[in-house]
Amino acid sequence: MAGMISPPAAIAFIGLGKMGVPMAARLIGAGFTLRGWDLAPPARVAASAAGIPLGASAAEACRDAAAVITMLPDGKAVRAALEDPAVVAALTAETLVIDMSSSDPLGTRALHAALAARGIALIDAPVSGGVSRAIDGTLAIMAGGEGAAIDRAEALFAAMGKHIFRCGPPGAGHAMKALNNYVSAAGLVAAIEAVAVGARFGLDAATMVDVLNASTGRNNATEVKLKQHILSGGFGSGFSIGLMAKDLATAGALAEAIGVEAPLAAEMARRWRAAAADLGAAADHTAIARLILPQA
């Protein structure tokens, strides 16, 4: 297998949404030669305005690239992009494919096997931290795949993330991301429900948050979501309720597929699916508070 991918190597970045653009910009800032692509014309316009060089097509972006990074809505979109005949023709045995999307881990295992049959290495490396940490390059990156393949991506990951975790074999990164978001989503709902109960009893919501953050109830929601995005009424964390519902469905489906009873995960998947239907998939995920807190 080829060695570490270092600047100024050519990198294709497929998927230029809210997360993709700042992640691509970090790679450019680190000295990589980047070509981006997105199926959506408005995304391409926005990416170009942000200084991201674009290929004329996904295949053109991938041609001669040392690595192809995908940052797409789900594993089905990733597979569709990588199975496009023109993209297939552009990939070689020297190309490292890195799926940084939040994909289904079992689907990732199948895609890994399909690419391996063509001599192409795939690692899954989803991220956590949101847009703000994508901008400043401090994302948490959860990598799954063969160690030698992950070794090749170290400089790429270092440009985009602060905490890089080797989670295990193919699909392990995607499993970890889904389970992380399950814990995050459950903690957010618990925190909002606690505030709803306390407010009805007569407690001040802001004081409750302060107490939680000084006590054992502290979690990501109490620290960076309740005051900043919910009590403020801003609902602008940058991560949609539809994507959270998708990740919760992935976590629940994984538990079921491998025979682990996880009733809370199933309930969270149901609840977030219903919230996405009520509020619209594009709503910020913190807007679930509107269904729990009357004043939100």
Side-chain angles (χ1 to χ4, degrees):
M1 181 176 286
M4 181 186 293
I5 298 170
S6 303
I11 309 298
F13 204 107
I14 311 300
L16 297 170
K18 290 180 180 179
M19 292 291 289
V21 166
M23 291 168 67
R26 294 293 307 185
L27 293 170
I28 294 170
F32 289 98
T33 304
L34 189 133
R35 294 189 300 268
W37 176 256
D38 196 292
L39 277 176
R44 296 199 299 272
V45 170
S48 181
I52 307 300
L54 301 177
S57 65
E60 199 275 332
C62 293
R63 190 167 296 114
D64 300 321
V68 173
I69 297 174
T70 53
M71 191 65 179
L72 296 167
D74 54 37
K76 291 181 180 178
V78 171
R79 186 144 196 164
L82 295 177
E83 290 181 345
D84 178 291
V87 171
V88 169
L91 302 181
T92 73
E94 298 300 312
T95 310
L96 176 64
V97 178
I98 309 172
D99 182 15
M100 303 192 80
S101 321
S102 295
S103 300
D104 167 56
L106 298 178
T108 297
R109 284 185 176 180
L111 180 59
H112 176 274
L115 290 175
R118 291 162 42 198
I120 298 169
L122 166 72
I123 57 178
D124 48 301
V127 303
S128 181
V131 174
S132 62
R133 288 175 61 184
I135 291 171
D136 63 20
T138 61
L139 292 167
I141 299 176
M142 297 153 261
E146 287 86 1
I150 297 174
D151 289 344
R152 293 188 65 202
E154 282 186 353
L156 296 163
F157 292 160
M160 296 180 283
K162 181 179 181 180
H163 303 287
I164 316 301
F165 299 96
R166 296 187 180 223
C167 296
H174 284 146
M176 187 66 248
K177 173 61 186 293
L179 295 170
N180 173 77
N181 278 14
Y182 157 50
V183 173
S184 175
L188 176 59
V189 169
I192 297 169
E193 288 183 349
V195 171
V197 173
R200 177 67 64 88
F201 186 75
L203 296 173
D204 176 73
T207 300
M208 286 190 69
V209 177
D210 292 339
V211 172
L212 289 168
N213 282 332
S215 307
T216 57
R218 182 179 70 253
N219 65 19
N220 177 262
T222 66
E223 290 183 330
V224 302
K225 295 178 184 178
L226 284 181
K227 283 188 176 182
Q228 297 89 333
H229 300 295
I230 294 173
L231 298 185
S232 71
F235 304 111
S237 74
F239 187 69
S240 75
I241 200 167
L243 289 177
M244 184 65 89
K246 184 261 294 181
D247 289 346
L248 270 288
T250 297
L254 177 61
E256 183 177 359
I258 61 177
V260 175
E261 290 190 12
L264 182 57
E267 171 58 20
M268 283 296 103
R270 182 204 65 77
R271 188 159 185 175
W272 282 85
R273 181 172 61 250
D278 286 345
L279 300 170
D284 194 83
H285 80 285
T286 57
I288 195 173
R290 290 177 169 154
L291 304 177
I292 304 171
L293 283 169
Q295 70 272 29

